[in-house]
């Protein structure tokens, strides 16, 4: 009897339930079909556009041991370990439109780097070698853009990044009186991806970029810190915030 009662109540309210369902479904469809108001709809039609960037990165050397280290000529030294260190960069954006989906961009910037090497020996204190440099960099990148969807557009970038040391400082613990020799020029290959976000007054683009140095950063002056190393290459991961 109770079950029959419940079913009867359902029959009485069934038309209201169906009507409510269709109203909700239609409202969802209308919202889905509603066009998003596009900010700066003609922004990407400009041949030249400008802006500035802020970058936060983490960087480390990639190390290749020398034959002297592998052959155990350095009996007491058993490890040279690079570690990741933070830094940041500031720069400008010059973007040139090549076609609907391709841009060329030049990003002159100043970057502040720290690279660390830890030397572990059997019969000597640990040496922590810190290489601090200020580098002027000039990345030249090709930007491939997807179709714009409302106020968003995905993109990928890739290119080369030459860098010239503007100033540098090598700091080591008191246990060491010598510094490792590092070259002043570096050339890197960059690849990354990001998203363009269009606002009424500007375009904001968060971007992740990976940088792999192809230049051997180890200098020609040999000493106790460099004899166990054959190559030093830079690896950097950067989060960029671009404003145009």
């Amino acid at each position: 009897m109770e079950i029959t009662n419940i079913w009867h109540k359902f029959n009485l309210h069934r038309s209201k339930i169906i009507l409510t369902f269709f109203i909700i479904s239609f409202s969802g469809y209308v919202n889905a079909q509603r066009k998003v108001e596009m900010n700066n709809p003609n922004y990407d039609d400009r041949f030249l556009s400008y802006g500035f960037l802020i970058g936060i990165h983490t960087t480390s050397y990639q190390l290749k041991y020398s034959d002297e280290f592998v052959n155990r000529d350095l009996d007491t030294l058993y490890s040279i370990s690079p570690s990741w260190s933070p830094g940041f960069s500031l720069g400008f954006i010059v973007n040139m439109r090549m076609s609907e989906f391709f841009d060329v961009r030049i990003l002159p910037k100043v970057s502040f780097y720290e690279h660390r090497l830890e030397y572990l020996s059997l019969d000597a204190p640990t040496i922590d070698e810190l290489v601090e440099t200020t580098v002027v960099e000039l990345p030249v990148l090709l930007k491939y853009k997807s179709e714009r969807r409302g106020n968003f557009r995905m993109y990928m970038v890739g290119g080369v990044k030459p860098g010239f040391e503007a100033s540098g400082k090598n700091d080591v613990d008191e246990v060491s009186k010598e510094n490792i020799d590092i070259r002043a020029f570096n050339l890197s290959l960059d690849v990354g991806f990001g998203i363009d976000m269009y606002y009424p007054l500007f375009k904001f683009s968060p971007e992740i970029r990976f940088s792999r140095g192809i230049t051997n950063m180890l200098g020609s002056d040999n000493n106790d810190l460099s004899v166990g190393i054959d190559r030093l290459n830079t690896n950097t991961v950067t989060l960029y915030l671009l404003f145009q």
Side-chain angles (χ1 to χ4, degrees):
M1 186 70 175
E2 185 177 353
I3 295 176
T4 306
N5 230 357
I6 294 173
W7 182 250
H8 179 66
K9 289 181 179 178
F10 177 79
N11 282 335
L12 290 176
H13 297 287
R14 182 172 55 184
S15 59
K16 294 182 180 179
I17 294 172
I18 294 173
L19 180 61
T20 303
F21 174 80
F22 275 108
I23 290 173
I24 294 173
S25 299
F26 181 76
S27 299
Y29 176 81
V30 171
N31 288 331
Q33 295 298 315
R34 185 181 299 166
K35 290 185 178 180
V36 176
E37 182 180 354
M38 294 183 68
N39 300 321
N40 282 322
N42 300 318
Y43 185 92
D44 290 333
D45 294 338
R46 308 174 187 176
F47 174 67
L48 281 177
S49 57
Y50 306 93
F52 68 93
L53 64 86
I54 302 170
I56 304 171
H57 63 247
T58 180
T59 186
S60 174
Y61 284 134
Q62 182 173 351
L63 181 147
K64 179 183 178 183
Y65 288 112
S66 66
D67 293 337
E68 287 83 355
F69 185 91
V70 175
N71 294 334
R72 298 295 180 182
D73 292 341
L74 305 174
D75 293 334
T76 61
L77 181 66
Y78 66 87
S79 176
I80 306 174
S81 302
S83 59
W84 293 88
S85 299
F88 68 97
S89 56
L90 301 170
F92 299 97
I93 305 166
V94 180
N95 192 90
M96 292 171 285
R97 183 180 187 270
M98 297 291 103
S99 67
E100 182 181 357
F101 297 109
F102 287 96
D103 293 347
V104 173
R105 48 178 33 186
I106 302 172
L107 309 167
K109 62 191 181 79
V110 177
S111 299
F112 302 89
Y113 291 101
E114 289 184 358
H115 291 95
R116 292 182 179 273
L117 292 170
E118 186 179 57
Y119 294 77
L120 301 178
S121 301
L122 295 174
D123 58 356
T126 298
I127 298 175
D128 185 17
E129 174 82 354
L130 172 61
V131 181
E132 296 179 317
T133 51
T134 301
V135 182
V136 177
E137 297 176 319
L138 190 65
V140 180
L141 305 176
L142 180 65
K143 178 180 179 181
Y144 172 69
K145 304 172 291 185
S146 69
E147 285 191 25
R148 178 170 172 172
R149 302 293 184 183
N151 290 315
F152 298 92
R153 193 170 197 168
M154 302 295 294
Y155 68 87
M156 297 179 63
V157 292
V160 295
K161 182 180 68 178
F164 305 87
E165 182 181 314
S167 64
K169 177 185 177 184
N170 293 332
D171 291 331
V172 295
D173 290 343
E174 293 181 358
V175 295
S176 176
K177 301 299 182 182
E178 297 181 351
N179 299 333
I180 190 169
D181 183 31
I182 299 297
R183 298 184 188 275
F185 173 78
N186 189 23
L187 181 65
S188 303
L189 300 178
D190 282 21
V191 63
F193 60 91
I195 180 169
D196 288 332
M197 305 167 65
Y198 298 82
Y199 292 90
L201 299 179
F202 64 95
K203 181 170 71 173
F204 170 62
S205 306
E207 178 185 312
I208 293 287
R209 200 185 309 160
F210 305 91
S211 180
R212 163 68 175 169
I214 59 176
T215 302
N216 184 4
M217 296 302 295
L218 185 65
S220 56
D221 293 341
N222 291 325
N223 55 32
D224 291 341
L225 297 179
S226 62
V227 67
I229 302 173
D230 182 57
R231 287 187 65 88
L232 284 177
N233 296 95
T234 56
N235 286 326
T236 307
V237 182
T238 309
L239 169 64
Y240 286 102
L241 304 177
L242 300 94
F243 300 86
Q244 290 178 262

